Amino acid sequence: MHAKTLALLALGFLAIAQACAADQAMDEAFAHHPRQWITKPEFTSPLVDHLPASATVPSPRDVLGDDIGAPRVLHYYADILKYYRTLTDKSPRVKLIPTGKTEEGRETVLVLISSEANIRNADVNRHNLAKLADPRGISEQQAREIISQTKPMYVVLGGLHSSETGPPEMLMEVAYRLAVEDSPVIDGIRENVIVAINPATDPDGRDRYTDWYYRNKIEDTDDLTPVHNAPYWGKYIYHDNNRDINFTGMSARNLLGFYLDWHPPIMHDLHESHPFLYTFSGQAPQNSMLDPILYGEMPWFANFEVAQLTKYGLPGVWTHNFVDMWSPGYVAFMSSNHNGLVRMYETFGSGGATTMLRHVKPVPGATDNLHPNDESTREWYRPFPAYDVVEWSMRDNTNYMETALLTGLQQTSMFPQAILENFYKKSRDAVMAGQTRAPYAFIIPGGRSDMTRAAILINLLRLQGIEIGASTGTIKVKEGTYPAGSFVVKLDQPYGPLAKTLLSKQVFPDTKLKTYDDAAWSMGMMSHVEVVESADKTALDIPVAAVGSGDPQGTIDAPAAPAYAVLDYGSINLATLRNRLRGVSIQVAEQSFKSNNRTIPAGSFIVDGGAYKNLKDAVIPLGLTAVALPDKPSTHMHEAAAPRIAIFSTWGSTQNVGWVRYAFDRSETPYELIFKEQVRSGRLRAKYDLIIVPSQGRSAKDVVYDIPVYGKPLPYTKTARYKFLGDYGSSPDIRGGMGLAGLEELRKFVSDGGTLITLGESSAVPAEFGLTPDIEVSKPSAAFYAPGPVVTANILKPASPIFYGYTDQALSVRWASTALLFVPLRDKQNVLMEFPGGEKNVLSGFMNGADEIKDRPAIVLSAVDSGQVLMFATNPIYRWQNFGEFRMLYNALINYKNLRTFDQRVDSRLNDALAVAAD
Ligand SMILES: [Zn+2]
């Protein structure tokens, strides 16, 4: 049907909607503004083309000065909170729940909106939802009664991604509308649903990006030469705040706390990118651990929205062909992971509130900021496509999102009982699955020499509400015998499917499919922690005691010995210990040795008895084991270094650098964050012993040249007006990269004896730009596809300090790079670890082309003049996930002066491993 015809139809609906709300006075200024601000008459709907006036409750314009969607207007987080606080003060239909603080100290809140009675009754409703979420204590009859007295809660998140600026604006208007409008749709929502709004899911990023928009982006008028995004949103992890599977971000963690307190059956995350509005219906590959009911609910909602918005005459509303239901690591998946329903939109954001010329049909040669897929085509899942080219405004964006969201809420209000029944049934099915089908439990064996890595897992699982017990006696199941104190995750619990999702191996269902993010995340493999999947039904009856914190207490022998050895059993906390004991001389044992009939593994720290008190204070909370030595050992030792570290970051790709910063901050590792400015200014060797280049950019060239130079300078500096810019680094112009001049400084740094460490994709830099002339790098074939599987890597130099704490020769590592390194045979001794490749070495997830990585280096150490370059083809700090690999990087720091000395020594590490196991 022609667009104009549809637009005329929409006008018909408009008349109906106006008639419905005829009794209520309308806000006349609003009726005037948004009509001016939309770029085509059809970009509106009967749900949003009006706004009621209220004598008592202020609209966004009353508090903030503008109607929502005004051109060139974005609101800072404090203003957004101010609006919600005012609304809470003035309307009995609104209630504000504080949930915590962000990294930068901003308050996080959820804003509940419903009828006055529902808001009054919110706590009772919360308890009811908790019973449905954990139906173990109630009968089906009781569940039915609870459902009849309960309202579903529908949580909406806006602004998780800070450059997606529309949702935090739009949600204020929705809040007002829900609080004041009298119309059949809104009355129904208010009566039957409790809406909970998360005003900006990354509050720190909201402020920083708003500054960036006003300073650098407000004059952006088309998407062919877009102004680059702000270098930072929140403190650490940028866009990956939606890949934060273990909830490192405070805002996500606060939201999870709210979730587990209120048990909302629906959580809906609002994003921006695709034209004009995509509504998520959960395409394949799907996580089959989740209840099949979920996969009926998702398209049920999406299809209603496509039909309704199309009926209103809005083109470009579609579903199906975008995000899949495989990875559980997206923020709003906390709902589907906990037997609720996840929802997601993408609307056509322009990175701000400036009206822009947008190209939906790709323009040849202009790929930046344009989706490579042509989303202007008619498809079965996109029956009324978006236009090829369009002028697009913030109000267009607002109208689409708001119409769709109100439609999703309308559907919830039409079927509140069905949604609650589904929620209850999914929760009950989850418990039943653990009672009736293997696996019945996961066991994390206790009594191992290092329990600190197991503790990371235990704590992360508990954070997500998963119940874990500690066995009170020896466990005997058909998989083996495990000591008292082993951790048991019984699967006959509501969050059993989530435990299965996180702990088991990922078996990709179809090699022809692709997935939007990682194909694998198996926590045991990622952390190098033994996780036993038990198919023995008696595991459900293992007597267990409640687990407080999973963190083990360390131990230390009595004082007054000449020296102490902190045993290296592979704990990441050994790195923290090194940092806590700065100023104390620590020696590292290069080989294992016997003392008092005990094996002291290679890598153990030897500390003088005089530092006993400091040592004890650090070892106990870190869960480490320190034993007394009768004498200073005579084994080979070297000093545990505390190098002066720089982490290099581009301005255009700070995200993966952010994960390394986060890990270093957690392990108390000091570093300076440096950018092109510091690199180009030179004298690097005088300032640093070690420079780390985390994985960043899509290629070596990206790392060197970074943001292309066109348009105006892009300052990222703090000023009186822009007080949220200039954090974590500062630049008068973030474009251009370090260039060859910077690269030459890095070469000089290495040549003068510095250590350069490159991670993941960045390891292409020394190879391609000739810092390590003998190492080649190549790309895999076009057919190669490896969305983050866990694969085997073989240690070739087990005596290398890089592998202190590792007792196996074959490790599970996360595949991290498309840069395949190649080292000629004559330099083969420089390869410390390599990928054996092949199907059988894909341990979890999926790799198409596993033979292409056969015998490729995973870690290479290359001497360059008096310095060295250590190249990881893996990413030893990948997000907050592959804890098992972290030690390889920390070992490189602590032992950087001694990375090449081990060659002369007897390669006794594998024998050590056997000796430790025999102790
Ligand atoms: Zn997004």
Side-chain angles (χ1 to χ4, degrees):
M1 197 183 297
H2 194 271
K4 264 191 186 149
T5 322
L6 279 167
L8 288 173
L9 279 178
L11 287 177
F13 281 99
L14 185 144
I16 293 165
Q18 295 272 348
C20 292
D23 295 346
Q24 193 171 23
M26 289 294 144
D27 179 330
E28 294 195 2
F30 179 93
H32 178 67
H33 288 151
R35 212 163 285 169
Q36 264 186 351
W37 299 336
I38 60 176
T39 58
K40 287 190 182 293
E42 61 270 32
F43 291 165
T44 187
S45 81
L47 300 184
V48 300
D49 62 358
H50 61 279
L51 197 70
S54 168
T56 53
V57 179
S59 74
R61 190 182 67 243
D62 294 332
V63 175
L64 304 173
D66 288 296
D67 281 309
I68 297 299
R72 300 163 72 93
V73 174
L74 290 182
H75 293 100
Y76 287 92
Y77 188 64
D79 288 332
I80 292 172
L81 280 190
K82 181 175 150 199
Y83 180 66
Y84 286 112
R85 287 226 159 83
T86 311
L87 199 59
T88 308
D89 289 346
K90 299 290 182 186
S91 171
R93 294 168 169 177
V94 184
K95 182 183 169 87
L96 189 139
I97 314 275
T99 58
K101 289 265 169 79
T102 66
E103 283 79 356
E104 296 180 357
R106 289 176 182 82
E107 193 181 356
T108 54
V109 302
L110 270 288
V111 182
L112 312 191
I113 309 164
S114 193
S115 71
E116 199 171 335
N118 290 341
I119 289 294
R120 245 194 337 263
N121 202 37
D123 259 342
V124 173
N125 205 74
R126 182 166 69 89
H127 289 298
N128 286 350
L129 286 173
K131 285 180 195 152
L132 300 178
D134 181 0
R136 283 174 295 187
I138 55 171
S139 67
E140 198 155 347
Q141 177 56 32
Q142 286 170 315
R144 264 198 294 275
E145 279 165 29
I146 292 168
I147 288 168
S148 72
Q149 297 157 16
T150 306
K151 309 293 179 185
M153 177 180 272
Y154 190 120
V155 177
V156 195
L157 317 179
L160 175 65
H161 291 151
S162 304
S163 64
E164 300 162 18
T165 53
E169 301 289 334
M170 180 275 290
L171 287 171
M172 290 190 276
E173 184 171 299
V174 165
Y176 174 73
R177 191 182 295 283
L178 290 174
V180 303
E181 183 166 324
D182 294 322
S183 67
V185 169
I186 302 298
D187 290 345
I189 294 169
R190 214 164 34 226
E191 195 54 41
N192 295 307
V193 186
I194 299 177
V195 180
I197 291 175
N198 195 7
T201 313
D202 181 351
D204 299 340
R206 174 70 188 185
D207 280 347
R208 192 159 292 109
Y209 189 86
T210 301
D211 261 357
W212 184 255
Y213 169 73
Y214 282 125
R215 189 169 194 185
N216 292 320
K217 217 170 154 58
I218 192 165
E219 303 301 338
D220 228 1
T221 52
D222 76 68
D223 59 5
L224 297 181
T225 51
V227 168
H228 201 276
N229 213 316
Y232 290 95
W233 294 345
K235 184 172 183 182
Y236 289 113
I237 57 172
Y238 216 74
H239 192 271
D240 262 3
N241 62 6
N242 203 24
R243 309 288 187 277
D244 187 8
I245 191 169
N246 289 320
F247 295 92
T248 63
M250 290 313 300
S251 171
R253 194 170 276 222
N254 298 343
L255 184 62
L256 178 65
F258 174 87
Y259 186 91
L260 294 173
D261 199 16
W262 288 82
H263 299 99
I266 305 179
M267 186 175 276
H268 189 163
D269 198 7
L270 303 174
H271 287 260
E272 289 182 352
S273 65
H274 293 258
F276 292 140
L277 186 139
Y278 161 84
T279 168
F280 182 36
S281 50
Q283 72 172 20
Q286 295 176 330
N287 176 354
S288 64
M289 316 267 178
L290 300 179
D291 200 298
I293 295 169
L294 170 70
Y295 298 116
E297 292 177 301
M298 297 184 74
W300 176 47
F301 269 88
N303 287 338
F304 184 61
E305 286 155 354
V306 173
Q308 288 289 95
L309 270 65
T310 302
K311 180 171 71 185
Y312 297 143
L314 294 166
V317 179
W318 57 289
T319 183
H320 179 67
N321 190 33
F322 177 38
V323 178
D324 57 84
M325 277 298 290
W326 185 247
S327 165
Y330 312 101
V331 161
F333 277 50
M334 75 174 72
S335 52
S336 42
N337 289 340
H338 292 90
N339 307 315
L341 165 61
V342 60
R343 309 215 55 227
M344 193 269 283
Y345 295 157
E346 299 277 355
T347 41
F348 202 34
S350 293
T354 306
T355 301
M356 276 178 56
L357 187 67
R358 302 295 309 272
H359 298 78
V360 175
K361 187 174 258 327
V363 176
T367 52
D368 270 313
N369 208 28
L370 288 176
H371 286 277
N373 296 330
D374 187 350
E375 292 180 333
S376 67
T377 58
R378 188 196 177 281
E379 309 290 343
W380 68 264
Y381 50 82
R382 191 162 52 224
F384 183 28
Y387 306 148
D388 293 0
V389 180
V390 67
E391 199 83 40
W392 189 255
S393 72
M394 183 59 122
R395 189 65 214 187
D396 296 334
N397 194 38
T398 303
N399 281 354
Y400 267 77
M401 261 187 291
E402 189 171 341
T403 302
L405 176 59
L406 291 173
T407 301
L409 292 172
Q410 178 188 8
Q411 183 171 355
T412 310
S413 75
M414 289 156 73
F415 299 97
Q417 302 294 293
I419 284 157
L420 292 173
E421 279 165 25
N422 290 356
F423 185 48
Y424 161 69
K425 182 68 165 47
K426 287 183 285 186
S427 304
R428 209 188 59 177
D429 287 351
V431 179
M432 294 279 284
Q435 290 168 345
T436 52
R437 290 195 298 275
Y440 298 99
F442 290 94
I443 297 165
I444 299 173
R448 301 303 195 240
S449 43
D450 172 44
M451 290 304 292
T452 63
R453 275 168 295 161
I456 298 173
L457 251 71
I458 303 297
N459 291 339
L460 291 174
L461 294 170
R462 290 180 70 239
L463 183 68
Q464 295 227 44
I466 293 169
E467 296 165 8
I468 301 174
S471 65
T472 53
T474 303
I475 298 172
K476 286 195 173 120
V477 287
K478 65 185 182 191
E479 288 79 15
T481 302
Y482 306 97
S486 293
F487 296 101
V488 183
V489 185
K490 297 179 184 179
L491 295 176
D492 59 343
Q493 59 169 306
Y495 303 151
L498 175 57
K500 264 189 273 189
T501 298
L502 295 174
L503 293 172
S504 56
K505 167 183 171 161
Q506 277 76 57
V507 182
F508 209 64
D510 184 341
T511 57
K512 291 188 292 298
L513 291 173
K514 300 218 162 175
T515 185
Y516 193 61
D517 198 65
D518 283 351
W521 50 84
S522 310
M523 286 179 89
M525 289 184 202
M526 287 275 204
S527 316
H528 297 182
V529 172
E530 185 183 1
V531 176
V532 179
E533 189 168 319
S534 179
D536 190 333
K537 201 169 178 181
T538 66
L540 293 175
D541 304 321
I542 297 168
V544 293
V547 175
S549 157
D551 292 322
Q553 288 280 297
T555 60
I556 184 165
D557 286 351
Y564 292 82
V566 184
L567 306 181
D568 187 359
Y569 292 128
S571 173
I572 300 165
N573 294 355
L574 214 62
T576 315
L577 178 69
R578 203 302 143 246
N579 298 318
R580 271 189 203 173
L581 294 184
R582 277 175 113 78
V584 173
S585 167
I586 299 175
Q587 297 289 309
V588 182
E590 296 185 357
Q591 289 169 282
S592 73
F593 62 96
K594 288 274 185 185
S595 172
N596 286 336
N597 268 336
R598 178 154 203 166
T599 300
I600 313 295
S604 295
F605 286 0
I606 312 298
V607 182
D608 192 87
Y612 184 83
K613 185 174 181 313
N614 287 349
L615 183 63
K616 184 178 179 184
D617 288 350
V619 158
I620 304 294
L622 291 173
L624 299 169
T625 306
V627 298
L629 300 177
D631 317 290
K632 288 268 170 76
S634 57
T635 186
H636 286 290
M637 297 193 292
H638 62 254
E639 188 200 346
R644 299 168 301 162
I645 299 169
I647 297 178
F648 170 75
S649 178
T650 54
W651 285 110
S653 183
T654 63
Q655 171 176 289
N656 294 346
V657 181
W659 286 109
V660 176
R661 287 169 51 226
Y662 180 78
F664 277 26
D665 286 353
R666 289 286 296 260
S667 63
E668 302 165 31
T669 306
Y671 61 88
E672 273 182 40
L673 186 60
I674 61 171
F675 299 85
K676 63 181 167 81
E677 288 76 12
Q678 290 77 23
V679 172
R680 282 202 298 234
S681 72
R683 294 185 57 252
L684 297 171
R685 184 66 191 98
K687 296 174 200 155
Y688 312 113
D689 302 310
L690 211 145
I691 297 177
I692 301 170
V693 185
S695 193
Q696 54 199 304
R698 294 158 300 182
S699 66
K701 214 173 144 192
D702 267 7
V703 178
V704 174
Y705 291 104
D706 199 18
I707 301 168
V709 180
Y710 62 78
K712 294 179 305 178
L714 297 175
Y716 179 70
T717 53
K718 202 174 285 299
T719 69
R721 167 65 185 85
Y722 302 112
K723 53 182 184 286
F724 306 120
L725 303 182
D727 285 329
Y728 314 114
S730 176
S731 173
D733 183 6
I734 64 169
R735 302 169 307 160
M738 71 168 96
L740 291 178
L743 205 65
E744 173 58 16
E745 293 299 337
L746 285 181
R747 193 200 60 75
K748 271 197 268 180
F749 167 77
V750 174
S751 195
D752 293 349
T755 298
L756 181 69
I757 301 181
T758 56
L759 311 182
E761 300 285 0
S762 292
S763 287
V765 174
E768 288 194 355
F769 283 89
L771 294 177
T772 52
D774 290 339
I775 299 176
E776 301 290 333
V777 63
S778 62
K779 292 275 171 201
S781 74
F784 184 82
Y785 178 60
V790 178
V791 300
T792 306
N794 288 331
I795 294 175
L796 302 186
K797 299 286 175 187
S800 163
I802 301 281
F803 305 113
Y804 288 154
Y806 294 88
T807 51
D808 295 330
Q809 193 245 334
L811 303 179
S812 55
V813 300
R814 184 190 175 275
W815 178 256
S817 174
T818 58
L820 300 179
L821 300 179
F822 173 80
V823 173
L825 193 59
R826 64 176 184 277
D827 294 330
K828 182 80 180 192
Q829 74 281 359
N830 295 338
V831 180
L832 308 182
M833 187 166 88
E834 74 177 11
F835 299 109
E839 277 304 321
K840 72 174 194 305
N841 285 305
V842 180
L843 305 175
S844 186
F846 179 52
M847 177 180 269
N848 188 12
D851 286 337
E852 294 189 35
I853 70 166
K854 193 169 161 33
D855 302 334
R856 291 293 193 149
I859 306 178
V860 186
L861 177 65
S862 192
V864 177
D865 300 331
S866 47
Q868 56 189 348
V869 180
L870 181 65
M871 303 159 74
F872 285 82
T874 55
N875 185 349
I877 295 182
Y878 173 73
R879 297 179 176 165
W880 188 243
Q881 268 187 281
N882 56 346
F883 307 107
E885 295 178 62
F886 282 23
R887 269 295 298 275
M888 290 183 237
L889 181 57
Y890 288 133
N891 283 343
L893 311 186
I894 293 169
N895 305 287
Y896 80 100
K897 290 180 188 164
N898 304 86
L899 295 179
R900 304 211 299 277
T901 53
F902 66 91
D903 278 346
Q904 291 90 43
R905 305 270 152 71
V906 180
D907 204 333
S908 64
R909 298 272 300 115
L910 287 178
N911 292 334
D912 291 352
L914 295 173
V916 168
D919 268 3

